[in-house]
Amino acid sequence: MKETTAIMSKEPLPRRYPRAPIQRRIYAFLLDFAAVWFVSALVGVALLQLIVFIAAWWGLRVFAVTRYKGQSLGRWAFDLQIIDGRRGRLPDVTVLTKREGAISVIAFLGLVGLQYGFPNVLSVLILISPLLVELVVAIGDEDNQQAIHDRFFDTVIVPSRRGYSLDIRIRRWVDLLMDRMRQ
């Protein structure tokens, strides 16, 4: 019980980290979500789809992150990295597993809402609302833009020098395309 009360009574992080743009965080999450959705959509049975979703999510968001210096596929594509807010370095596997276990359940609810709930708009809104709450909390945090699961496990998403800069490249391609259309 002592551990629970220590977790719930949080003091602020020891230092302020550079803020990752919230749009990049959203895009990185959506890329990871779409990749895992694609893998789990290959399975037709709902219970088996949940198991495949959680396994693929763990592989992409825990195994890959520990292997590739804090970056999953989405975070690499958008130059982001996850760090431990207290130590300033990559979180250990147990912290990442707990963190991603919590967010994977919320992401799977969003998947169910998007995949099966389109005829009923109310069910889509109900199943996606935990993701929206996470987003609103991250936007509302002025210091580190931590969502609920980030605060609970003391993790921070920060900009990285490693990555593909997909959003910048897409913006350049669109600008180039617009220039060519004007000519």
Side-chain angles (χ1 to χ4, degrees), residues 20-35:
I22 198 73
Q23 296 87 359
R24 283 185 167 202
R25 289 187 64 183
I26 293 169
Y27 299 152
F29 177 82
L30 289 176
L31 182 60
D32 288 342
F33 181 77

Side-chain angles (χ1 to χ4, degrees), residues 11-19 81 83-90 141-146 154-156 158-159 161:
E11 59 271 351
L13 294 177
R15 62 180 220 204
R16 191 174 171 143
Y17 293 100
R19 292 173 54 154
Q81 181 179 14
I83 60 171
D84 186 329
R86 301 272 174 221
R87 298 181 300 157
R89 59 182 182 186
L90 181 67
D141 184 8
E142 295 292 324
D143 295 330
N144 293 313
Q145 291 182 336
Q146 289 180 300
D154 288 330
T155 56
V156 181
V158 295
R161 285 180 246 165

Side-chain angles (χ1 to χ4, degrees), residues 132-163:
L132 295 177
V133 168
E134 290 273 336
L135 176 64
V136 167
V137 169
I139 290 171
D141 184 8
E142 295 292 324
D143 295 330
N144 293 313
Q145 291 182 336
Q146 289 180 300
I148 296 169
H149 64 280
D150 289 324
R151 290 177 187 207
F152 195 72
F153 296 107
D154 288 330
T155 56
V156 181
I157 305 293
V158 295
S160 173
R161 285 180 246 165
R162 295 179 64 231

